[in-house]
């Protein structure tokens, strides 16, 4: 197992957070992820856009009173001014509130860990990319599924060529929690995700389709040339898509398909990736993440286990426990945080990023937003093939 | 369990066969299927277009010498003339050889059980449909997957409305046996399936896509309005598609997607159907056919077992064994044969078809050919939405 | 796939049946099994000990009136006297009615296919074994689970030594259908199975424990030296065990354990065999019979598929369909019937049994009865280690 | 989801550790578990019995130099004397080194979290129990599998009576990592676990059998009356058992069986618990811990998901993430740490233990050691039924 996972370096990085106050889901995930491997101390936050809630949340989480902020601009300025100010900030707000805080912290030289989709328009995405470049800061986008050890294993096997040319990529992502109009009954997670003002132009395609899209590219290394999307709204009164079928044509001739849905009753978080290559196929399911199924041509299916005999270096680097001791969602998420820590420390020490550090960055964010926009454009053109513009 | 399955009526129906001689795969499947429930005696055949092979095959199978025929026209005429002539014929030749024998036997008043896809063009399909109508004969198309008990259960649950409106239909059918150019190495099954002169215009889409398409319609009762298809050939030198992605728009607003592939290394016969409805979802896999997964909204996933507590009348009618005693492919295939026998006996007795007999017929065949043609047309128009013409 | 499965020889063997009339379960299974591969014609029967029921059953099944018998002795005598008399009889009565008909038919030189457990006492078992020897007839005991292709594969892999010495054998067989007092509500299958006068001294241990025990010996080739059994009755008023835990010591040092239960709510027919060897382990589940799980030391788990790349000759000999086309319980049962036919034809032709024919015989029956008696004896001695006496 | 999981209280508890230095496995698990929910700060340690290793390990982990100890007695004394001394210590040494440090810290009024099996003899166990009582300290034994949310769910369903009386308990725990003599090749984990001087009288039965035994009692609430054990050593030169079969008789009539093995090639960490009750059965597998299978009598099997519609309060209290976002081994382990924190805070505040806090304690430790001793005694008496002495 990897030396760096779970064995913290002596000094922890000072971490702040924007969003993630009381009632939020993903904020707590980020905080747990930041703690597991011991690389961060959470010390400051603008945890809600409602000042009272920001205060109450900060108190509940044990922040020092003077480091509980009511707005992220103040936080960026004041933390940058402190000797013991935060070195990195996690942005865990709804999509429309990623861009402004990211810009603010980067301009103060504070590294950023940001939720996905990165921003709500391609123009914002390009501007943010430029800001990151200029700032010299680390920017990590939490496409957390890419940090599962068996996903790293899959990527390694595809990219090292042992399975031959990729032919077909199938990604599916069924969820069922929006089968009803949960937004009307006030479920916080549903309200902002179904509101174009907060979520952007993509519904399911933005919320989970971008994960599917990123995962496919991450594992195969392929770039989408064009796509044909059929976006659907099944729930009355909903404005954004809650089901999407997307056909993909990759550069070089591979074909792909994404199905993502938030009305698939019974679906929990059913992300699954299958990669069909000339010499073998891979199959991975997020809900059963400790195994990867491998079928080589002319052989029988094998089950590669995290921590097991066939797991290679890329998987091992993200592994904390031996086979049979299941790791899950938080471990993968923590893996990204640890990769972020490694990148930040390298930067602080004037070193280049260590090899094998695969944390998704700002360009992945641009690509994801480009994907959403291409899907929406294709859907408006009756599913016509639409080029992905980056 | 059903009274009629496995308990033969006193007199067996006399059965002939066209195709299915030495080296064929599906002919033996039909013969086993015809035997299991004891409704047929196999007594005559034109088992190959090569006379010596037809003879050797007939002898090996124990046919009386005078009932081993070198061509199906002679067989149709002579059997029709015998007092003890066959009452029904199974046509198990490559696709391009379905139409002519079917016409020949029907014109002699002999019932037909025919392999799929029914014929190789929509015009032939319509003519055959007219011939069936005029002949008054039974015509059963062996979309055998529709005869699995748990498929019947799924159909029943969708059509009786307990799951609400259908929203999404996902069908996939990965196979891997044509990942290489098996046709060049002379594998008989591969040679004719990849040859447009024998297979028709569809490769994977005709061979297995039609099964996927039929199953979706069978279970949901929905009709496809239009489709958008991306057909691909991955193996060098192949003329017909070996991978297909198809997006479907059903009348009434449901959406669907078919992925079928014959280059999906590791795929054996991975037909899987998922139906997402407003109030629940169903999931069925052909390789694990004795169970049906049901998720009702707000509840947890349940596993319906063939022969178990939740199996209803439609499933029970196709069930021979109690739960835990797995039935498979041959049992489903036999179920269709038994349904064919029931239809023939009803016809012979001047009765109407018994309720609950769901054997696919000539109109399903027309629909399947229409599907292939629409896919091919859409693919030629860069995957543009294409109406299914019947 | 095997030439002999599903491709009948020209002449079918004439088959009779004792038991298996209306309301019976296993009789119909035997008849379907006898038909699938086309080696038998069912022509005579003493289908019930109740004459009217024997008559009605025979008529329903289309037997000629003169070959519907009210008792098996008459049947044995008259069929032996006919030129076209039966060549083989299937005995499918409750356990206490196996011995007498088996003796009767064997003495008339008629081959026997008999249900398990063979008889209800070790002394009967030994006498029957002697009768079989003297008669020169074929005697096949329907331990049908041993005829699954993947069980043959497992046996082959263990016996050819590639997995090294067997260390541990785990067999489990949970069923739940007797969790209540089904016998009091008159369920025919439950009534005789829970009645020592009809079932013998073993309840669950006799009905399904013998299958588990036979399977373990069949696959490993090991002989049990002694066993320690804890037999339990959970349902009020029941006389025979409905749950059994048995620890096994094999000759040579391997250890084993059997758990069989008929009160395991949710259990359908959950026979599972795991064999742990020095160099690898095997895992097979009857409810998912088309796959065998193999773990070699230092490697990852592989899934061997019936009809797939790793299936060897022994499995292939019992295989009708390619991988992905599931075969089930009836196919395995039919495999035994086909092996019986092959043995009978060899006998009729004065040939020795063909190699690779593994149909269980009378000695397996003796062993099974010895197992039941040893379990009962051990249980009476507070689970003391008890030698298996043969 | 639970309020207390993942949302740390303002002040963290000061934690020390005995054992868990470089090369250890479980020490790092404890440290990660202590961090995830944010209730502990790790500040002191006697991490190895080798002073140089203790020093290097402490430095690597960022401990202050004066709080890196070479022996646990010094640590206990000095930490107890510090104003900011540790409030709780984790003991993660080999089994024979649990007793002395536990006694030492308890006598200084420091709470203890201790690995299992608790100690190596029943007399030590009783003495430790008495020390805990006298100290008034919290003592938590890390039977971590009992902290999985779906295990809590199972316990709740059994104990609230909805499934009726327990009839049969099946526990299995196959591992394969000791199939060879890993101890001779110097694998640290193998060396001490196979050495009676360090591991105690039980091999597999002590290392993993105690987990299986605890889990069965935890979920069912039943007490074992007596057991019959067959302990085996398969690997040459090994002194302790590496495979065990144990039959159990519970007070009240339920029966059980444990199979645990460390030579089961292919086994990773295959702990599985099945509980058969009069009205339903439960099935849980540690390697797939986010689901619990429920079969009610007369119904079909349902899959209860952590975070899903059927999860009750006991499961929810241990749940951090919604359904579909898998939690694993570390989350369960962290759950125990959080329960320990809650107990310690209650104690510090003079409150009684909060209801629903199910962290295993010293009496579970006594019971586990009694189990090992009973197994060893039974095995010596040729598997005779042996009473569990507590």
């Amino acid at each position: 197992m990897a030396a760096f996972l779970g064995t913290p370096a002596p000094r922890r990085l000072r971490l702040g957070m924007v969003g993630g106050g009381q009632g939020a889901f993903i904020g707590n995930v980020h905080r747990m992820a930041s703690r597991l491997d011991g690389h961060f101390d959470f010390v400051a936050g603008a945890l809600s856009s409602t000042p009272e809630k920001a205060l109450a949340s900060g108190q509940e989480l044990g922040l020092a009173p003077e480091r509980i902020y009511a707005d992220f601009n103040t936080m960026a300025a004041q933390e940058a001014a402190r000797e013991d100010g935060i070195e990195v900030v996690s942005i865990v707000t709804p999509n429309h509130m990623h861009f402004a805080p990211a810009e603010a912290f980067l301009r103060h030289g504070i590294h950023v860990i940001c939720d996905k989709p990165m921003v709500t328009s391609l123009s914002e995405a390009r501007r943010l990319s430029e800001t990151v470049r200029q700032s010299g800061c680390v920017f990590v986008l939490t496409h957390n599924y890419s940090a599962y050890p068996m996903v790293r294993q899959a990527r390694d096997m595809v990219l090292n060529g042992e399975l031959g040319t990729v032919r077909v990529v199938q990604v599916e992502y069924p969820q069922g929690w929006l089968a009803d109009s949960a937004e009307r009954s006030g479920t916080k997670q549903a309200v902002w995700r179904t509101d174009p003002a907060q979520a952007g132009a993509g519904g399911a395609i933005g919320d989970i389709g971008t994960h599917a899209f990123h995962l496919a590219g991450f594992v195969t290394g392929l770039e989408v040339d064009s796509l044909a999307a059929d976006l659907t709204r099944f729930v009355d009164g909903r404005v954004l898509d809650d089901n999407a079928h997307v056909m993909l044509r990759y550069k070089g001739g591979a074909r792909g398909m994404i199905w993502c849905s938030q009305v698939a009753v019974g679906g929990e978080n059913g992300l699954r990736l299958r990669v069909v290559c000339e010499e073998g196929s891979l199959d991975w399911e997020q809900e059963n993440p400790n195994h990867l199924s491998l079928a080589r041509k002319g052989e029988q299916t094998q089950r590669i286990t995290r921590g097991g005999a066939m797991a290679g270096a890329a998987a091992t680097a993200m592994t904390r426990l031996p086979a049979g001791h299941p790791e899950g969602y938080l471990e993968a998420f923590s893996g990204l945080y640890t990769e972020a820590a490694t990148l930040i420390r390298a930067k602080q020490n004037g070193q280049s990023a260590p090899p094998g550090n695969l944390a998704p960055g700002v360009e992945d964010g641009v690509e994801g937003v480009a994907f959403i926009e291409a899907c929406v454009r294709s859907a408006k053109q009756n599913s016509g093939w639409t080029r992905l513009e980056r």
Side-chain angles (χ1 to χ4, degrees), chain A residues 52 71 76 87 91 116 146 151 181 183 198 257-258 266 273 291 295 297 316 325 345 350 377 387:
Chain A
E52 308 78 58
D71 74 289
E87 298 162 276
I91 300 174
K116 45 47 61 186
S146 65
V151 167
S181 183
E183 60 267 40
Q198 297 182 72
M257 174 168 274
I258 291 175
L273 172 70
H291 299 103
K297 203 163 61 183
T316 303
H325 298 70
R345 289 196 176 110
R377 224 159 53 236
R387 215 166 282 276

Side-chain angles (χ1 to χ4, degrees), chain A residues 205-368:
Chain A
I205 203 71
D207 192 34
I208 56 177
T210 48
H211 272 311
F213 171 78
H214 179 264
L215 190 66
F218 182 82
V219 168
T220 64
L222 294 179
E223 276 184 57
V224 166
D225 178 79
S226 53
L227 56 78
D230 195 22
L231 306 186
T232 321
R233 283 177 288 279
F234 282 110
V235 172
D236 282 348
R238 193 163 284 164
V239 180
L240 295 174
D241 63 283
D242 50 25
N243 188 84
H245 286 131
V246 188
M247 303 196 296
L248 304 167
R249 289 181 177 165
Y250 286 97
K251 291 177 183 171
R255 289 299 196 270
M257 174 168 274
I258 291 175
W259 171 47
C260 63
S261 183
Q262 296 184 314
V263 300
V265 176
E268 293 176 345
N269 199 36
L271 178 59
R272 179 184 184 190
L273 172 70
R274 285 177 281 186
V275 182
V276 173
C277 303
E278 210 172 330
E279 302 297 327
S281 294
L282 295 170
D283 189 350
W284 179 79
E285 298 183 66
Q286 190 272 148
E287 296 191 6
N288 187 14
N290 293 282
H291 299 103
L292 173 67
S293 207
L294 164 68
R296 290 189 198 274
K297 203 163 61 183
E299 298 184 9
Q300 294 273 226
T301 300
Q302 293 181 301
R303 196 179 78 148
I304 305 177
T305 304
R306 185 193 49 70
M310 288 175 70
T316 303
M318 301 304 276
T319 292
R320 288 165 193 80
L321 299 172
H325 298 70
E327 297 191 22
Y329 178 93
L330 284 173
E331 284 81 354
F333 219 110
S334 302
L336 275 198
Y337 262 82
T338 297
E339 291 196 316
T342 307
L343 290 174
I344 292 167
R345 289 196 176 110
K347 201 70 103 170
Q348 292 175 336
N349 298 330
Q351 298 160 344
S352 54
N357 193 305
L358 299 171
V362 71
E363 292 313 315
D364 297 280
V366 175
E367 188 90 359

Side-chain angles (χ1 to χ4, degrees), chain A residues 31 33 43 86 101 153 163 193 215 246 268 270 339-340 373 378:
Chain A
R31 287 187 295 267
V43 293
I86 59 171
Q153 174 75 22
L163 302 179
R193 277 183 173 81
L215 190 66
V246 188
E268 293 176 345
E339 291 196 316
E373 296 208 346
S378 170

Side-chain angles (χ1 to χ4, degrees), chain A residues 39 114 137 145 158 186 189 195 199 239 261 274 341 350 361 366:
Chain A
H39 294 286
C114 182
C137 286
Y145 301 112
V158 173
Q189 302 304 323
D195 173 10
V239 180
S261 183
R274 285 177 281 186
V366 175

